[in-house]
Amino acid sequence: MMDNLAQVLVLLAVAITVVVFFHRLYIPTSLGYLLVGLILGPHTLGPTVSIPGFDSFAEFGVVFLLFTIGLNFSLPQLRALRHQVFGLGTGQVVFTTLFVGVAAWLVGLPAAAAFVLGAVFAQSSTTIIASILGERGEENTQHGRLGLAMSVFQDVTAVPFLVIIPVLGTAVAVDVLAGALGWSLAKALLAFALVFIVGRWLFRPLFQLVSGRRSLEMFTLAVLLVALLAAWATSSLGLSLAFGGFLAGMMLGETEFRHQVESSVRPFRDVLLGLFFIGIGMRFDPSVIPDIWIWTILGASFILISKVLIVAAMVRKSGVDAQVSWRTGLLLSVGGEFGLALVAIALDSNVIDMRLGQIAITSVLLSMIVGAVLIRFNAAIASWLAPVPRIAIPSQPTLSETTEQQVVIAGYGRVGHTIAVLLDSSGVPFVVFETDPKQVAKGRQDGYPVYFGDISDPELLSAIHVERASLVIITADGATVALRALSYLQRHCPQVPVVARARDLATSAQLLQAGAVHAYPETIEASLRLGAASLQILQVPTDDIDQMLQGVRDRGYTPVLGADAGKKV
């Protein structure tokens, strides 16, 4: 027991050290976890970690990864993407898989192994693409939006591989293979139907019941139960655990609880996914590099070149100019973490041998390193490949170019509802988060985008990318929630203005000190508006009234509070 505990401590210490170092160098943490696995694996000098059940436990990292991907690709969203991104994303994966697979088959690999290699090489790293684009401020450019959308959609198109690859390791004859694949696809459709029916009739009532208890602990347990139950269901049908997680995410993605579900599962996903990549790193044997380095370079070259050419050609054919087409292709050239996950599945299913697995892993890792350089210098490379004048792209995106979450409203009570009505009447897009499931239901009945979620939860704010908001309006009753949210916003995205509701002058002062742009005391403002209405009846000019009210506000309300200024109203 103590031996296992000592190994866990070593694992945690090395992981923290490496990940912190990679964070400081702005290198994706997935590569850091791979390095941790290499350091602690059996193929290198130093301590070796061999914890019973480690691989089985780490597999749930992929389950939760697919679960969160499913949350962002519910059925309505998939229907909305059925045009450009749907066709381009699917086409890129299909053509890359075919191109690489046929090339691998021609050099002598078995058909099943060649197919796996093509599927692995078709994946791109959304993490690397998003981090470098964000660092360079290119996430809202045309090539940035298109590349990110296609990269995320790759993860969805990779789901069928979770069904097909395990089958390839059990079938030999063509007719047996076709029958096994057909049976697996039939079981996948059955699993989808089961999760769809259960999701439609059970998930929303379950989370309405749980959220009504106002317990984040209970809510998180419910999320884990649903994700793991769906994974168990697909595993019982002979399919992968990750496929069930994806289906459960899709169903929950249609509910008003989607954002809070994502924030609740994110810590588990990140930790378990880190363990998964550590497990992959432990499989890597540096001693074989002298024997496979030529194949590794060829493999990485195939990943980079094939995807650049295929993506650029497809995007260009869709009507986009040459510059954007090349830049999009360069973004997607990088290898992906999901490709590494497919390698692990293929190894466990005996579809590929260990030597080919080492070549695939090393090729993907090398493509991640070189691909990150291509992404960073995509503008210069694209200008060299297509030396034509570029259309200037504004540094600040217009309203239509940014995400729909322009204004974030916290709370859908009396004040939140009023603001939602005003914003909707003005045509300003917004999203509302509320912790009372009854208010959430009311808001959705009113036709507004109201979701269950706690605006003071840092994981929720991170999951919804609050840094992209043009304004945050906190209408929740009570200063504690507002102060916690302001603390996060001031640390991570101080550029986002915050307007907060304050019940009295003391609360207003607290919120302003915490970083709110405006925090009008509600009780005093109601008195001022009553006085303004009285002056209007007495035919005092409107400009004079507005100037008088603003003067009172500018002087900290002391003219109306008198000797009681600063006391709680």
Side-chain angles (χ1 to χ4, degrees):
M1 183 67 177
M2 289 301 295
D3 183 53
N4 288 338
L5 178 58
Q7 292 188 69
V8 170
L9 293 175
V10 171
L11 175 66
L12 291 176
V14 175
I16 292 173
T17 303
V18 172
V19 170
V20 168
F21 179 71
F22 273 50
H23 258 295
R24 297 191 63 178
L25 295 179
Y26 300 100
I27 301 175
T29 56
S30 55
L31 297 180
Y33 286 120
L34 290 168
L35 178 60
V36 172
L38 178 62
I39 294 172
L40 299 179
H43 306 295
T44 56
L45 298 175
T48 298
V49 170
S50 179
I51 302 173
F54 179 86
D55 290 338
S56 299
F57 189 67
E59 185 180 358
F60 288 105
V62 182
V63 173
F64 288 117
L65 172 63
L66 266 293
F67 179 74
T68 52
I69 290 172
L71 287 172
N72 293 293
F73 282 93
S74 61
L75 290 177
Q77 289 166 313
L78 287 176
R79 284 195 294 268
L81 290 172
R82 64 185 180 275
H83 298 302
Q84 187 182 43
V85 174
F86 188 93
L88 291 175
T90 304
Q92 182 268 316
V93 173
V94 170
F95 286 128
T96 305
T97 302
L98 286 176
F99 178 74
V100 176
V102 169
W105 178 69
L106 290 175
V107 299
L109 284 182
F115 172 79
V116 169
L117 208 61
V120 169
F121 285 13
Q123 306 304 311
S124 302
S125 173
T126 304
T127 304
I128 293 177
I129 295 172
S131 62
I132 297 179
L133 287 179
E135 179 186 334
R136 296 180 57 81
E138 297 181 14
E139 65 268 35
N140 287 311
T141 59
Q142 186 178 3
H143 68 278
R145 294 193 307 274
L146 189 57
L148 276 173
M150 291 179 65
S151 174
V152 173
F153 196 73
Q154 281 179 358
D155 298 334
V156 178
T157 58
V159 171
F161 295 136
L162 300 174
V163 178
I164 296 173
I165 289 177
V167 177
L168 298 179
T170 59
V172 179
V174 175
D175 56 339
V176 177
L177 175 61
L181 286 175
W183 177 234
S184 294
L185 291 175
K187 290 191 291 186
L189 292 175
L190 174 62
F192 176 81
L194 288 174
V195 176
F196 181 82
I197 293 172
V198 172
R200 284 296 177 94
W201 293 98
L202 181 62
F203 285 175
R204 181 176 272 112
L206 171 65
F207 281 93
Q208 286 175 341
L209 175 65
V210 172
S211 61
R213 307 280 73 80
R214 304 290 186 91
S215 170
L216 184 59
E217 177 185 2
M218 191 180 299
F219 190 91
T220 303
L221 289 174
V223 173
L224 295 176
L225 172 64
V226 167
L228 296 178
L229 184 62
W232 171 81
T234 54
S235 178
S236 300
L237 291 173
L239 304 171
S240 69
L241 294 168
F243 183 59
F246 176 77
L247 293 179
M250 281 186 65
M251 294 302 104
L252 285 174
E254 297 186 42
T255 71
E256 61 271 28
F257 305 100
R258 174 168 67 90
H259 297 289
Q260 188 64 52
V261 167
E262 183 176 0
S263 68
S264 297
V265 81
R266 176 176 288 193
F268 298 94
R269 180 201 66 186
D270 292 345
V271 172
L272 292 174
L273 197 59
L275 294 179
F276 176 78
F277 287 124
I278 290 174
I280 292 179
M282 289 179 175
R283 297 171 185 255
F284 181 63
D285 185 2
S287 65
V288 304
I289 291 181
D291 296 329
I292 66 171
W293 69 271
I294 294 179
W295 293 109
T296 295
I297 294 176
L298 287 174
S301 300
F302 254 87
I303 294 175
L304 297 166
I305 296 174
S306 64
K307 286 197 286 188
V308 169
L309 295 177
I310 290 173
V311 172
M314 292 179 60
V315 175
R316 187 77 179 94
K317 192 172 179 60
S318 70
V320 179
D321 66 77
Q323 277 281 324
V324 174
S325 299
W326 282 114
R327 296 182 76 173
T328 306
L330 290 166
L331 295 186
L332 290 167
S333 65
V334 64
E337 298 93 341
F338 210 93
L340 297 174
L342 294 180
V343 172
I345 293 172
L347 286 171
D348 293 337
S349 303
N350 296 317
V351 183
I352 60 177
D353 57 28
M354 185 57 68
R355 184 173 186 273
L356 183 58
Q358 295 285 344
I359 294 173
I361 291 173
T362 313
S363 298
V364 172
L365 292 177
L366 182 58
S367 74
M368 284 177 153
I369 297 171
V370 178
V373 177
L374 296 181
I375 296 173
R376 190 172 297 277
F377 297 102
N378 70 86
I381 298 173
S383 297
W384 177 72
L385 292 171
V388 293
R390 288 189 299 163
I391 298 174
I393 300 174
S395 58
Q396 293 297 327
T398 62
L399 191 63
S400 60
E401 290 178 323
T402 54
T403 62
E404 63 179 19
Q405 297 174 0
Q406 288 296 288
V407 176
V408 175
I409 303 174
Y412 192 73
R414 169 179 50 83
V415 180
H417 170 74
T418 302
I419 294 174
V421 171
L422 294 175
L423 292 178
D424 184 63
S425 301
S426 303
V428 178
F430 63 93
V431 63
V432 186
F433 290 96
E434 169 63 59
T435 57
D436 186 347
K438 294 181 180 178
Q439 291 297 101
V440 174
K442 179 181 181 302
R444 298 181 79 82
Q445 290 173 358
D446 294 337
Y448 298 131
V450 183
Y451 295 91
F452 179 85
D454 183 359
I455 199 66
S456 65
D457 181 4
E459 292 293 340
L460 175 68
L461 293 172
S462 175
I464 66 174
H465 296 290
V466 71
E467 70 277 1
R468 300 176 184 172
S470 57
L471 176 65
V472 174
I473 305 174
I474 303 176
T475 71
D477 193 10
T480 304
V481 171
L483 289 171
R484 284 204 300 260
L486 278 165
S487 175
Y488 177 91
L489 293 168
Q490 285 297 299
R491 288 198 313 271
H492 297 280
C493 43
Q495 77 281 2
V496 178
V498 181
V499 176
R501 169 193 179 191
R503 294 196 63 83
D504 49 54
L505 189 59
T507 305
S508 172
Q510 279 185 297
L511 297 175
L512 290 172
Q513 187 176 7
V517 177
H518 297 294
Y520 296 130
E522 191 176 18
T523 51
I524 303 175
E525 282 293 322
S527 303
L528 289 179
R529 297 315 306 174
L530 179 62
S534 302
L535 293 174
Q536 286 178 331
I537 294 174
L538 297 173
Q539 298 183 347
V540 176
T542 303
D543 290 343
D544 292 347
I545 296 174
D546 292 339
Q547 186 175 1
M548 189 184 311
L549 294 181
Q550 192 57 46
V552 172
R553 296 185 184 110
D554 292 341
R555 296 172 61 185
Y557 300 94
T558 53
V560 296
L561 293 176
D564 293 330
K567 295 181 181 180
K568 189 173 182 178
V569 178

